[in-house]
Amino acid sequence: MIETGTARKEEIMSLSGEKKKELMLRAADIREKTVEIVIGGNGGHIGGDLSETDVLVNLFDYMKHDPKNPKWEGRDYFILSKGHSAEAYYAILNYYGYIGQEELDQFGKLGAKLGGHPTKKVNGVEANTGSLGHGLGLATGMALALKMDGKPNRVFVLTGDGELAEGSNWEAAMSAAKFGLTNLTWIIDRNHLQISGNTEDVMPLENLHGKSESFGFQVIDLDGHDHDAIREALESRTEGKPTCIIANTIKGKGLYCAENQAGWHHKTPTMEQFEHMKEDMAQYRKGMA
Amino acid sequence: MEKATCRGAFSEKILQEAKKDKDIVVVCTDSRGSASLGSYPDELPEQFVEMGIAEQNSVTVSAGMVAMGKKVFAIGPASFYSMRSAEQVKVDVAYSHNNVKIIGISGGISYGALGATHHSLQDIALMRAIPDLIVEIPSDANQMKGLVDAFLEDKTPAYIRVGRGAVPVLYPEDVKVEIGRAQVWGDGRDVGIIACGQMVYRALDAAKLLEEQGIHATVLDMHTIKPLDEAAVLKLARECGCILTVEEHSIYGGLGGAVAEVLVADKPVPMTIAGIPDQDVPNGADAEVFTLLKLDVEGICEKAKALIKRKQEMG
């Protein structure tokens, strides 16, 4: 049984054509900005940055949050458990005005506020992450406390897929189901690659849908670059169960040379590669006009 | 002599406080019995979270709850909370400044014959190396209760290790405990003894025995290992000229290590670190093992006398 979240009944189930186009164009901008940040800092986890971009863009458009009042009590919470994919997150925070260009310019420099993994010192960031397998448990604790207090806020957590070899995720999954956390949505950036190669060769995760479902989650599989599907899944909740969205994505998406290449887990593009990407993005925008 | 357990004292006190403050939450890991939680889970089910045998997740979930404004006391075996969850303590609690109070029960060799899997003899070394984490080992039940009051005021995360068995009551019922402030017993100038946890009453008994032999000792109850009461350590070193530390922990990196770090920088004096040697711990009840390892009252006296001799020889 799949129900729409009662707190957001007023919202549309699927995106209007205009809204979808807006989000797709925004994602293209965020991708370019992300690569710019990586080049500026001379390093970053670019593959996972670019696979998660559409999910992040859609989520930040959907979540309740107020850049002018980052600690607003009515906000929804987001935890980037795959903290290494920080650059796309920074690009989004910059888009919403949580952080400025000066902060982005400092990325990768001595004493910079923005590190290779996000911390709460960065405006808008809710948790210090980087060590994998922590975000889902943290989000579970947050959602549990919100439930205890009868608050309507939701908690979203984005993990990687290679990250799921960490057993702590499954401890957390077990507990999220035990506590019936309808307010918790766990999104998996299922790009099928980790630093050493294909996830199924390194440590098989499949059947991931079956695993998550058997742990007590409502599970939704989707194309993690399809904004309609993402939005619909973000809306979807089953009373008494946490939700797991398996977002099938392409690692390195948008940077042609990096797409589906494990070697681009952490790498800095050349200016030439960046120029190619900008040309591709220009074509993409033109195609949508 | 009246005896009581620190874990029982914690449970009694936290129930009393939680009834007044709905934000207090006790988190446990299938440990409500060993933690002596008593009627708490039944009386306050809305403020009790059972995590099952999963200390890592327990620490992380506790951190998440704290981030949302809860006052979380996570209670379970010290051996597992400190070492198995070390990374969760480091990342989700300390580095993330989430004010979780971790109560590690049955610490040290409390579990006796259950063996090394259940002993926590490296926990202090591990926990005190983590920035922004208070490390406490109360010496009696009333000090434990006083600490709960202090913890409810203090915003810094903490690791508190308590033993399993009943220990003599040293302090009055309503004792006020200040985090980072040692309790001074006596004013002898021959030897300074610094102890924590259930070694404090043994050190006090040893001091009495030494006194009967004309040797005057001062004992510090160093319940806070971090932040260490450095002023008290230096004062003791100046006054006594030698220091013996006694702890239920590896001789490496615990109370002795913390005291040595202070002395070596500011006031080097002859020192002996008495603790659990760097080897397998024999099976047996804690008191029996202490006797075997010469960490009982007589053993402490012998070590104190040997240290005084060393001080005199060094002139």
Side-chain angles (χ1 to χ4, degrees):
Chain A
M1 183 186 67
I2 295 176
E3 289 173 2
T4 308
T6 48
R8 290 157 204 273
K9 257 183 186 157
E10 74 282 1
E11 294 190 23
I12 44 163
M13 269 292 286
S14 60
L15 299 166
S16 69
E18 274 308 301
K19 182 75 181 177
K20 182 178 175 179
K21 199 167 128 185
E22 184 191 323
L23 292 179
M24 289 168 77
L25 288 171
R26 189 179 303 163
D29 294 346
I30 294 293
R31 283 195 164 88
E32 277 187 356
K33 191 77 184 172
T34 299
V35 174
E36 197 182 297
I37 295 169
V38 170
I39 291 174
N42 196 27
H45 287 86
I46 195 162
D49 280 327
L50 297 174
S51 62
E52 76 189 10
T53 302
D54 291 298
V55 167
L56 281 188
V57 164
N58 204 311
L59 178 62
F60 270 76
D61 183 68
Y62 174 74
M63 274 196 321
K64 290 181 179 172
H65 66 116
D66 180 1
K68 293 204 166 51
N69 184 12
K71 299 290 175 198
W72 172 45
E73 286 203 359
R75 75 192 187 276
D76 293 333
Y77 295 83
F78 170 67
I79 310 290
L80 183 70
S81 188
K82 52 185 300 243
H84 55 281
S85 300
E87 296 81 14
Y89 188 21
Y90 294 153
I92 299 257
L93 291 174
N94 172 251
Y95 171 82
Y96 282 100
Y98 286 101
I99 54 178
Q101 184 60 41
E102 324 76 65
E103 283 161 296
L104 296 181
D105 289 342
Q106 284 297 308
F107 176 68
K109 311 232 167 24
L110 177 66
K113 192 182 276 184
L114 309 186
H117 296 109
T119 70
K120 291 188 283 187
K121 287 179 187 156
V122 179
N123 191 29
V125 172
E126 303 281 4
N128 295 3
T129 55
S131 177
L132 298 172
H134 289 249
L136 186 56
L138 213 48
T140 296
M142 293 165 82
L144 176 58
L146 289 165
K147 185 181 174 178
M148 281 174 161
D149 291 342
K151 291 181 178 167
N153 319 49
R154 292 177 62 181
V155 182
F156 298 89
V157 55
L158 179 65
T159 70
D161 50 4
E163 172 181 1
L164 301 182
E166 293 282 6
S168 49
N169 289 296
W170 302 100
E171 286 187 13
M174 224 185 291
S175 61
K178 168 184 170 171
F179 301 124
L181 301 177
T182 318
N183 55 351
L184 174 68
T185 296
W186 166 26
I187 308 166
I188 302 169
D189 183 10
R190 183 74 173 112
N191 59 34
H192 292 266
L193 288 175
Q194 56 193 104
I195 196 164
S196 308
N198 193 297
T199 57
E200 300 315 286
D201 296 328
V202 178
M203 183 53 70
L205 293 172
E206 294 301 335
N207 170 359
L208 190 50
H209 183 111
K211 278 192 178 95
S212 311
E213 199 166 59
S214 70
F215 271 73
F217 281 70
Q218 166 195 225
V219 186
I220 302 163
D221 285 272
L222 51 80
D223 172 352
H225 304 300
D226 176 342
H227 283 273
D228 281 329
I230 297 168
R231 179 57 54 96
E232 197 174 325
L234 292 174
E235 290 271 4
S236 174
R237 289 197 281 170
T238 299
E239 190 52 45
K241 280 188 174 194
T243 295
C244 171
I245 299 172
I246 301 175
N248 291 285
T249 59
I250 294 168
K251 198 157 179 173
K253 176 147 177 92
L255 180 66
Y256 184 70
C257 57
E259 286 190 358
N260 280 324
Q261 302 295 320
W264 277 86
H265 178 78
H266 184 281
K267 200 168 172 175
T268 311
T270 62
M271 286 314 288
E272 193 185 353
Q273 286 164 332
F274 188 29
E275 285 309 316
H276 280 164
M277 181 193 189
K278 286 200 234 179
E279 283 165 25
D280 289 345
M281 290 296 160
Q283 282 293 112
Y284 176 77
R285 290 185 186 101
K286 218 164 131 188
M288 288 189 52
Chain B
M1 186 183 275
E2 187 198 352
K3 285 187 169 188
T5 65
C6 290
R7 56 191 171 129
F10 168 77
S11 300
E12 192 187 316
K13 177 72 175 169
I14 203 69
L15 176 62
Q16 193 185 324
E17 296 302 319
K19 281 179 179 169
K20 294 184 276 186
D21 183 350
K22 71 169 186 50
D23 281 334
I24 292 177
V25 177
V26 170
V27 171
C28 93
T29 51
D30 195 24
S31 51
R32 68 185 83 183
S34 49
S36 304
L37 278 179
S39 61
Y40 185 107
D42 296 324
E43 286 196 53
L44 298 173
E46 304 296 321
Q47 290 167 255
F48 177 72
V49 176
E50 173 60 79
M51 295 303 300
I53 308 166
E55 291 79 14
Q56 297 173 64
N57 191 42
S58 176
V59 170
T60 305
V61 167
S62 295
M65 294 174 77
V66 164
M68 295 289 102
K70 296 295 179 189
K71 298 169 188 168
V72 180
F73 290 78
I75 188 161
S79 55
F80 311 131
Y81 262 139
S82 59
M83 196 160 276
R84 190 182 199 114
S85 310
E87 204 212 34
Q88 282 75 13
V89 175
K90 175 189 127 183
V91 174
D92 302 325
V93 174
Y95 171 57
S96 300
H97 308 293
N98 284 318
N99 178 18
V100 182
K101 306 299 190 194
I102 298 165
I103 316 287
I105 54 168
S106 300
I109 56 169
S110 290
Y111 277 121
L114 293 186
T117 57
H118 283 57
H119 295 163
S120 58
L121 293 173
Q122 302 80 23
D123 54 341
I124 304 308
L126 198 53
M127 293 293 120
R128 80 180 185 87
I130 299 173
D132 200 40
L133 192 71
I134 292 169
V135 179
E136 286 278 347
I137 307 186
S139 60
D140 89 337
N142 288 334
Q143 195 178 59
M144 177 75 243
K145 287 184 187 173
L147 268 175
V148 172
D149 283 326
F151 284 150
L152 285 169
E153 294 298 315
D154 195 282
K155 302 275 185 260
T156 311
Y159 172 75
I160 306 97
R161 185 231 268 188
V162 299
R164 185 173 178 80
V167 287
V169 174
L170 304 175
Y171 299 100
E173 173 82 31
D174 56 352
V175 66
K176 292 271 175 289
V177 178
E178 198 180 330
I179 295 165
R181 181 63 62 87
Q183 182 67 41
V184 185
W185 290 78
D187 55 4
R189 297 290 175 106
D190 294 327
V191 62
I193 304 176
I194 307 180
C196 58
Q198 64 163 321
M199 288 312 182
V200 172
Y201 82 83
R202 288 180 168 84
L204 291 171
D205 285 351
K208 271 183 221 153
L209 206 60
L210 288 169
E211 190 64 39
E212 288 168 14
Q213 298 166 31
I215 298 167
H216 313 297
T218 296
V219 175
L220 294 191
D221 174 354
M222 196 61 82
H223 57 88
T224 309
I225 315 296
K226 189 186 177 184
L228 192 74
D229 188 345
E230 297 185 4
V233 170
L234 291 171
K235 183 167 183 280
L236 191 70
R238 278 194 298 270
E239 289 176 353
C240 299
C242 65
I243 285 182
L244 167 65
T245 60
V246 191
E247 63 193 304
E248 186 182 359
H249 184 272
S250 163
I251 49 170
Y252 300 140
L255 172 67
V259 169
E261 287 157 17
V262 174
L263 294 181
V264 80
D266 290 316
K267 179 67 186 162
V269 293
M271 186 183 171
T272 297
I273 296 175
I276 308 294
D278 189 33
Q279 62 194 43
D280 284 351
V281 176
N283 282 335
D286 53 0
E288 295 171 326
V289 174
F290 292 144
T291 301
L292 192 74
L293 297 176
K294 299 195 186 309
L295 290 168
D296 56 0
V297 175
E298 288 72 22
I300 294 169
C301 286
E302 280 174 34
K303 285 177 170 43
K305 284 191 265 187
L307 178 63
I308 293 167
K309 193 161 170 258
R310 189 146 60 91
K311 173 177 79 167
Q312 287 162 347
E313 282 166 5
M314 288 171 75

